[in-house]
Amino acid sequence: MNSQFLSWFPVFSILVLLEISVFVRIPLCSSDPDVFYETCGTAFSCGSISGIGYPFRGNGNPEYCGYPGLVLNCNQDNITTIEIMGMAYRVLGIDQTIQFMRIAREDLMESRCPQDLVNTTLDYTLFDYASTNYMNVTFIFGCPVSMNFPGLSSLTCGGNGYSSAYLLPGAHGPGNCNVSVVVPAPLIQTDLEGTSNTTSLDQIVQDGFQVKWKVDGKACSDCTASSGRCGYNLSTNQSTCYCSEPPYMSNACLATASGPSGSSGTRFFHENVVKFGMIPRERP
Protein backbone atom coordinates (compact mmCIF):
# COMPACT_ATOMS: atom_id res chain seq x y z
CA MET A 1 0.00 0.00 0.00
CA ASN A 2 1.23 3.48 -0.78
CA SER A 3 3.21 4.74 2.24
CA GLN A 4 2.16 8.34 1.56
CA PHE A 5 -1.49 7.34 1.77
CA LEU A 6 -0.84 5.51 5.06
CA SER A 7 0.76 8.62 6.57
CA TRP A 8 -2.29 10.72 5.67
CA PHE A 9 -4.91 8.13 6.64
CA PRO A 10 -5.09 8.89 10.41
CA VAL A 11 -5.46 12.62 9.73
CA PHE A 12 -8.07 11.95 7.05
CA SER A 13 -10.06 9.71 9.43
CA ILE A 14 -10.10 12.37 12.14
CA LEU A 15 -11.29 15.01 9.68
CA VAL A 16 -14.11 12.75 8.52
CA LEU A 17 -15.26 12.11 12.10
CA LEU A 18 -15.13 15.80 12.92
CA GLU A 19 -17.18 16.66 9.84
CA ILE A 20 -19.81 14.08 10.71
CA SER A 21 -19.97 15.31 14.32
CA VAL A 22 -20.60 18.89 13.15
CA PHE A 23 -23.60 17.85 11.09
CA VAL A 24 -25.01 15.30 13.50
CA ARG A 25 -23.95 17.32 16.58
CA ILE A 26 -22.85 14.31 18.63
CA PRO A 27 -20.09 14.95 21.17
CA LEU A 28 -17.14 12.75 20.18
CA CYS A 29 -16.60 11.87 23.82
CA SER A 30 -19.82 9.86 23.81
CA SER A 31 -19.48 6.27 22.66
CA ASP A 32 -23.25 5.83 22.86
CA PRO A 33 -24.91 9.00 21.52
CA ASP A 34 -28.46 7.88 22.23
CA VAL A 35 -27.61 7.97 25.95
CA PHE A 36 -28.87 11.56 25.99
CA TYR A 37 -32.34 10.46 24.90
CA GLU A 38 -32.40 7.60 27.42
CA THR A 39 -31.11 9.47 30.48
CA CYS A 40 -33.30 12.56 30.05
CA GLY A 41 -36.60 10.70 29.94
CA THR A 42 -37.41 10.79 33.67
CA ALA A 43 -39.60 13.61 35.01
CA PHE A 44 -38.87 15.06 38.45
CA SER A 45 -41.28 14.14 41.27
CA CYS A 46 -40.96 14.88 44.97
CA GLY A 47 -43.75 15.28 47.51
CA SER A 48 -46.47 17.56 46.17
CA ILE A 49 -44.37 18.43 43.08
CA SER A 50 -44.65 15.83 40.33
CA GLY A 51 -44.13 15.26 36.61
CA ILE A 52 -41.76 18.19 36.08
CA GLY A 53 -39.62 18.11 32.95
CA TYR A 54 -37.37 20.44 30.98
CA PRO A 55 -36.19 23.15 31.53
CA PHE A 56 -35.93 21.72 35.06
CA ARG A 57 -33.97 18.65 36.04
CA GLY A 58 -33.47 16.74 39.25
CA ASN A 59 -30.12 17.19 40.97
CA GLY A 60 -29.36 13.51 40.30
CA ASN A 61 -29.73 13.88 36.54
CA PRO A 62 -26.90 14.90 34.17
CA GLU A 63 -26.35 18.58 33.42
CA TYR A 64 -27.40 18.13 29.79
CA CYS A 65 -30.94 17.20 30.89
CA GLY A 66 -31.87 20.64 32.22
CA TYR A 67 -31.28 24.35 31.80
CA PRO A 68 -28.47 25.76 34.00
CA GLY A 69 -29.80 27.17 37.27
CA LEU A 70 -33.07 25.22 37.13
CA VAL A 71 -32.07 22.28 39.31
CA LEU A 72 -34.68 20.81 41.67
CA ASN A 73 -33.69 19.05 44.87
CA CYS A 74 -35.69 16.59 46.96
CA ASN A 75 -34.67 16.60 50.63
CA GLN A 76 -35.01 13.87 53.23
CA ASP A 77 -38.50 15.14 54.14
CA ASN A 78 -39.67 14.76 50.53
CA ILE A 79 -39.76 18.54 50.05
CA THR A 80 -38.72 20.17 46.79
CA THR A 81 -36.24 23.02 46.91
CA ILE A 82 -34.32 25.11 44.38
CA GLU A 83 -31.27 27.32 44.82
CA ILE A 84 -31.33 30.83 43.33
CA MET A 85 -28.41 33.21 43.77
CA GLY A 86 -27.06 31.09 46.62
CA MET A 87 -30.38 31.13 48.51
CA ALA A 88 -32.47 28.00 49.10
CA TYR A 89 -36.18 28.27 48.30
CA ARG A 90 -38.97 25.82 48.92
CA VAL A 91 -40.94 25.08 45.78
CA LEU A 92 -44.65 25.32 46.62
CA GLY A 93 -45.96 24.80 43.10
CA ILE A 94 -44.97 24.67 39.42
CA ASP A 95 -47.21 25.29 36.43
CA GLN A 96 -45.25 24.44 33.28
CA THR A 97 -48.10 25.53 31.02
CA ILE A 98 -47.72 29.20 31.96
CA GLN A 99 -44.12 28.88 33.25
CA PHE A 100 -44.99 29.99 36.79
CA MET A 101 -43.37 28.76 39.99
CA ARG A 102 -44.35 29.65 43.55
CA ILE A 103 -41.42 29.72 45.95
CA ALA A 104 -40.70 30.78 49.53
CA ARG A 105 -37.42 31.26 51.33
CA GLU A 106 -36.52 27.99 53.01
CA ASP A 107 -35.07 29.75 56.06
CA LEU A 108 -38.53 31.26 56.70
CA MET A 109 -40.45 27.99 56.44
CA GLU A 110 -39.15 26.65 59.75
CA SER A 111 -38.56 29.91 61.59
CA ARG A 112 -40.42 33.19 62.09
CA CYS A 113 -37.33 35.19 61.17
CA PRO A 114 -34.77 34.85 58.35
CA GLN A 115 -31.72 32.83 59.29
CA ASP A 116 -29.71 34.25 56.38
CA LEU A 117 -29.54 38.00 56.93
CA VAL A 118 -29.53 38.98 53.26
CA ASN A 119 -32.19 40.47 51.00
CA THR A 120 -34.11 38.24 48.62
CA THR A 121 -32.59 38.57 45.14
CA LEU A 122 -33.69 36.84 41.94
CA ASP A 123 -31.45 35.84 39.07
CA TYR A 124 -33.07 38.12 36.49
CA THR A 125 -31.42 36.28 33.61
CA LEU A 126 -33.62 33.30 34.54
CA PHE A 127 -36.57 34.70 36.48
CA ASP A 128 -38.86 37.64 36.92
CA TYR A 129 -41.77 38.28 39.24
CA ALA A 130 -44.86 36.72 37.71
CA SER A 131 -47.14 39.69 38.37
CA THR A 132 -47.53 42.88 40.37
CA ASN A 133 -49.63 41.05 42.97
CA TYR A 134 -46.86 40.88 45.49
CA MET A 135 -45.40 43.19 48.10
CA ASN A 136 -42.17 43.50 50.01
CA VAL A 137 -41.95 43.10 53.76
CA THR A 138 -38.88 43.95 55.83
CA PHE A 139 -37.43 42.32 58.92
CA ILE A 140 -35.53 44.82 61.07
CA PHE A 141 -32.94 43.55 63.57
CA GLY A 142 -30.84 45.10 66.29
CA CYS A 143 -32.77 48.30 66.92
CA PRO A 144 -31.93 50.63 69.83
CA VAL A 145 -34.06 50.10 72.93
CA SER A 146 -35.38 53.64 72.66
CA MET A 147 -36.60 53.02 69.13
CA ASN A 148 -39.99 51.48 68.40
CA PHE A 149 -42.43 51.15 65.52
CA PRO A 150 -45.91 52.34 66.58
CA GLY A 151 -48.54 49.62 66.40
CA LEU A 152 -46.07 46.83 65.59
CA SER A 153 -44.99 44.24 68.10
CA SER A 154 -41.69 42.45 67.80
CA LEU A 155 -41.20 38.84 66.70
CA THR A 156 -39.28 36.37 68.79
CA CYS A 157 -36.34 35.08 66.78
CA GLY A 158 -33.39 32.82 67.28
CA GLY A 159 -30.57 31.14 65.45
CA ASN A 160 -29.44 34.22 63.53
CA GLY A 161 -27.74 36.19 66.30
CA TYR A 162 -30.81 38.25 67.21
CA SER A 163 -33.50 37.42 69.73
CA SER A 164 -36.20 39.59 68.15
CA ALA A 165 -37.13 41.56 65.06
CA TYR A 166 -39.72 44.00 63.77
CA LEU A 167 -41.62 43.14 60.61
CA LEU A 168 -42.81 46.05 58.48
CA PRO A 169 -44.69 46.28 55.17
CA GLY A 170 -42.59 47.67 52.32
CA ALA A 171 -38.88 47.64 51.54
CA HIS A 172 -36.77 49.47 54.13
CA GLY A 173 -33.13 49.88 55.00
CA PRO A 174 -31.85 49.28 58.54
CA GLY A 175 -31.79 52.99 59.47
CA ASN A 176 -30.60 53.22 63.06
CA CYS A 177 -30.91 49.44 63.46
CA ASN A 178 -28.25 46.89 62.61
CA VAL A 179 -29.72 44.82 59.79
CA SER A 180 -32.72 44.79 57.47
CA VAL A 181 -33.88 41.84 55.34
CA VAL A 182 -36.38 42.37 52.50
CA VAL A 183 -38.62 39.44 51.53
CA PRO A 184 -41.34 39.32 48.81
CA ALA A 185 -44.80 38.12 49.86
CA PRO A 186 -48.32 37.93 48.39
CA LEU A 187 -50.08 41.29 48.27
CA ILE A 188 -52.43 41.96 51.20
CA GLN A 189 -54.14 45.06 52.55
CA THR A 190 -52.18 46.50 55.45
CA ASP A 191 -52.79 49.46 57.67
CA LEU A 192 -49.77 51.70 57.48
CA GLU A 193 -51.10 53.98 60.22
CA GLY A 194 -50.21 51.67 63.08
CA THR A 195 -52.62 48.78 63.35
CA SER A 196 -50.59 45.73 64.30
CA ASN A 197 -50.25 43.47 61.29
CA THR A 198 -47.14 41.64 62.43
CA THR A 199 -48.96 38.33 62.76
CA SER A 200 -50.49 38.63 59.28
CA LEU A 201 -47.18 39.58 57.70
CA ASP A 202 -45.43 36.78 59.54
CA GLN A 203 -47.84 34.25 58.05
CA ILE A 204 -47.94 35.47 54.46
CA VAL A 205 -44.19 35.26 53.90
CA GLN A 206 -44.60 31.48 54.14
CA ASP A 207 -47.19 31.60 51.35
CA GLY A 208 -44.35 32.48 49.03
CA PHE A 209 -44.43 34.49 45.81
CA GLN A 210 -44.71 33.65 42.14
CA VAL A 211 -41.88 33.89 39.64
CA LYS A 212 -41.85 33.27 35.91
CA TRP A 213 -38.91 31.56 34.28
CA LYS A 214 -37.65 33.08 31.04
CA VAL A 215 -36.51 29.99 29.14
CA ASP A 216 -38.32 29.87 25.78
CA GLY A 217 -40.67 26.90 25.85
CA LYS A 218 -41.42 26.73 22.11
CA ALA A 219 -38.24 24.85 21.23
CA CYS A 220 -39.10 22.18 23.76
CA SER A 221 -42.71 21.97 22.55
CA ASP A 222 -41.48 21.43 18.98
CA CYS A 223 -39.10 18.78 20.23
CA THR A 224 -41.66 16.76 22.19
CA ALA A 225 -44.13 17.06 19.31
CA SER A 226 -41.56 15.21 17.18
CA SER A 227 -41.22 12.44 19.81
CA GLY A 228 -37.95 13.88 21.08
CA ARG A 229 -36.82 14.73 24.60
CA CYS A 230 -35.71 18.20 25.57
CA GLY A 231 -32.25 18.90 26.90
CA TYR A 232 -29.42 21.39 26.99
CA ASN A 233 -26.44 21.40 24.64
CA LEU A 234 -23.43 22.19 26.82
CA SER A 235 -21.34 23.05 23.75
CA THR A 236 -23.69 25.63 22.22
CA ASN A 237 -25.33 26.72 25.50
CA GLN A 238 -28.78 26.32 24.00
CA SER A 239 -31.80 24.10 24.38
CA THR A 240 -31.72 21.09 22.09
CA CYS A 241 -33.74 18.03 21.17
CA TYR A 242 -32.53 14.50 21.89
CA CYS A 243 -33.71 11.79 19.54
CA SER A 244 -33.67 8.00 19.74
CA GLU A 245 -32.27 7.74 16.19
CA PRO A 246 -29.86 9.85 14.12
CA PRO A 247 -29.58 12.77 14.25
CA TYR A 248 -29.34 12.25 17.99
CA MET A 249 -29.23 16.00 18.69
CA SER A 250 -31.20 18.45 16.57
CA ASN A 251 -33.93 21.08 16.66
CA ALA A 252 -36.50 18.32 16.28
CA CYS A 253 -36.49 14.59 15.62
CA LEU A 254 -37.29 12.98 12.30
CA ALA A 255 -39.74 10.20 11.58
CA THR A 256 -37.06 8.36 9.61
CA ALA A 257 -33.31 8.65 9.59
CA SER A 258 -33.04 8.81 5.79
CA GLY A 259 -35.11 9.13 2.66
CA PRO A 260 -36.58 12.00 0.65
CA SER A 261 -38.19 13.61 3.73
CA GLY A 262 -34.98 13.52 5.77
CA SER A 263 -32.96 16.66 6.46
CA SER A 264 -29.74 17.40 4.62
CA GLY A 265 -27.82 16.72 7.85
CA THR A 266 -29.40 13.28 8.13
CA ARG A 267 -28.69 12.43 4.49
CA PHE A 268 -25.09 13.56 4.97
CA PHE A 269 -24.71 11.25 7.94
CA HIS A 270 -26.28 8.29 6.13
CA GLU A 271 -24.23 8.79 2.98
CA ASN A 272 -20.95 9.12 4.84
CA VAL A 273 -21.34 6.18 7.17
CA VAL A 274 -22.03 4.08 4.06
CA LYS A 275 -19.15 5.65 2.17
CA PHE A 276 -16.60 4.95 4.88
CA GLY A 277 -17.78 1.43 5.57
CA MET A 278 -19.57 2.05 8.90
CA ILE A 279 -22.65 0.24 7.59
CA PRO A 280 -22.82 -2.01 4.52
CA ARG A 281 -24.18 -0.73 1.23
CA GLU A 282 -27.38 -2.25 -0.02
CA ARG A 283 -26.86 -4.60 -2.92
CA PRO A 284 -28.28 -3.35 -6.25
Side-chain angles (χ1 to χ4, degrees):
M1 185 178 290
N2 189 299
S3 60
Q4 186 176 7
F5 175 78
L6 287 175
S7 64
W8 276 98
F9 185 76
V11 176
F12 177 72
S13 300
I14 293 172
L15 290 174
V16 169
L17 290 174
L18 286 174
E19 190 172 19
I20 291 174
S21 70
V22 168
F23 277 85
V24 184
R25 287 167 287 187
I26 303 173
L28 295 179
C29 60
S30 174
S31 60
D32 186 13
D34 64 352
V35 70
F36 304 117
Y37 179 86
E38 296 298 331
T39 55
C40 296
T42 304
F44 176 87
S45 293
C46 175
S48 61
I49 307 299
S50 62
I52 305 302
Y54 191 85
F56 296 95
R57 69 172 175 90
N59 66 339
N61 290 341
E63 291 183 349
Y64 54 75
C65 289
Y67 202 90
L70 297 180
V71 183
L72 300 175
N73 302 280
C74 188
N75 67 19
Q76 65 273 15
D77 297 319
N78 218 28
I79 293 172
T80 300
T81 62
I82 187 171
E83 185 175 302
I84 303 172
M85 301 292 287
M87 175 73 65
Y89 293 85
R90 185 172 297 188
V91 180
L92 304 177
I94 296 179
D95 189 331
Q96 291 202 269
T97 304
I98 56 176
Q99 298 191 186
F100 279 16
M101 177 170 62
R102 180 175 288 276
I103 57 176
R105 282 179 54 149
E106 182 64 15
D107 64 341
L108 278 166
M109 299 304 289
E110 304 295 341
S111 174
R112 298 186 73 190
C113 300
Q115 299 302 294
D116 295 322
L117 301 179
V118 295
N119 290 335
T120 305
T121 305
L122 292 181
D123 180 353
Y124 289 105
T125 64
L126 277 178
F127 300 101
D128 206 345
Y129 291 102
S131 70
T132 57
N133 294 322
Y134 79 95
M135 59 182 290
N136 286 312
V137 297
T138 304
F139 292 82
I140 304 287
F141 299 93
C143 297
V145 176
S146 59
M147 188 175 182
N148 62 70
F149 297 90
L152 292 179
S153 58
S154 63
L155 295 171
T156 300
C157 297
N160 62 3
Y162 293 94
S163 59
S164 63
Y166 287 103
L167 183 56
L168 290 74
H172 304 278
N176 293 327
C177 304
N178 291 345
V179 181
S180 66
V181 177
V182 178
V183 178
L187 183 64
I188 63 169
Q189 295 297 322
T190 56
D191 185 350
L192 303 182
E193 298 300 323
T195 301
S196 178
N197 289 301
T198 302
T199 302
S200 298
L201 293 175
D202 181 31
Q203 292 172 346
I204 68 166
V205 294
Q206 293 191 347
D207 292 338
F209 56 98
Q210 283 189 327
V211 294
K212 180 179 179 66
W213 62 88
K214 297 180 178 180
V215 179
D216 182 14
K218 185 180 185 305
C220 188
S221 297
D222 292 343
C223 173
T224 54
S226 69
S227 299
R229 290 174 178 169
C230 305
Y232 189 78
N233 190 323
L234 298 172
S235 298
T236 63
N237 296 321
Q238 292 179 335
S239 297
T240 190
C241 189
Y242 299 135
C243 309
S244 60
E245 298 178 352
Y248 293 107
M249 294 174 66
S250 185
N251 293 329
C253 299
L254 303 171
T256 58
S258 61
S261 61
S263 69
S264 59
T266 304
R267 288 195 299 272
F268 175 89
F269 174 81
H270 181 74
E271 292 167 359
N272 279 277
V273 294
V274 170
K275 180 179 179 181
F276 295 104
M278 297 170 69
I279 60 176
R281 294 179 183 272
E282 295 181 1
R283 295 183 180 277

